[in-house]
Amino acid sequence: MNRPTSLLLHSYRCECHTSRPRSGDATTLLGSIDVETAPQAVRWIRVALRTLSPALNSEAFEEAWQWLSEDHHDALQALVQGEPITLTLQQGSTTIQWTARPVQFLKLTTRQGIDLPVCTQEYSAPAGRRE
């Protein structure tokens, strides 16, 4: 007997936002990624943080390196346990915030290996897109 496969993929959603609360600027999404594992989520934040850290003021730099050297272990453990994580740094009047949280995505079907209607031959995928 075949065991039914789940229609859900367990993954992690990672985002980086900035805001300037004092000036009233809206929150801006700088980057996001969906990854399959908790270590990949933490790695994405760590790479971004290491890249940005030389430009940070001394207080934000110290917080960043504390997270990079020690606190990322706790963040990883929290994600593995199904809890979201947040890292927030203040750089002058700008707040930079990284988040990662467990999510579930619906699996998408593939068009490979199935008979498609004849009309699909009239339309092709844009260049660079895979089916």
Side-chain angles (χ1 to χ4, degrees):
M1 176 176 201
N2 287 343
R3 195 172 186 193
T5 59
S6 173
L7 295 177
L8 297 175
L9 293 172
H10 298 277
S11 302
Y12 298 85
R13 174 74 178 173
C14 308
E15 296 177 345
C16 180
H17 293 88
T18 61
S19 63
R20 292 187 178 173
R22 291 184 209 146
S23 66
D25 288 350
T27 299
T28 303
L29 176 65
L30 292 181
S32 64
I33 189 171
D34 300 319
V35 296
E36 295 179 4
T37 68
Q40 289 171 331
V42 170
R43 187 176 311 120
W44 184 77
I45 296 171
R46 291 186 79 208
V47 167
L49 199 51
R50 277 194 302 262
T51 302
L52 180 64
S53 64
L56 296 173
N57 62 36
S58 60
E59 185 179 327
F61 180 86
E62 291 298 324
E63 289 179 42
W65 279 102
Q66 173 64 33
W67 196 89
L68 286 167
S69 61
E70 307 255 340
D71 298 345
H72 73 277
H73 297 293
D74 294 334
L76 178 59
Q77 191 63 29
L79 282 174
V80 168
Q81 293 174 356
E83 301 170 19
I85 62 165
T86 301
L87 170 63
T88 304
L89 298 177
Q90 191 68 38
Q91 170 69 18
S93 63
T94 303
T95 301
I96 309 164
Q97 186 174 71
W98 288 268
T99 60
R101 65 186 185 278
V103 294
Q104 294 180 340
F105 293 106
L106 285 174
K107 287 184 183 178
L108 299 177
T109 61
T110 179
R111 292 173 47 172
Q112 296 175 345
I114 62 171
D115 293 325
L116 298 173
V118 176
C119 65
T120 60
Q121 301 306 319
E122 295 177 29
Y123 306 99
S124 61
R129 269 183 82 192
R130 294 188 293 157
E131 294 185 31

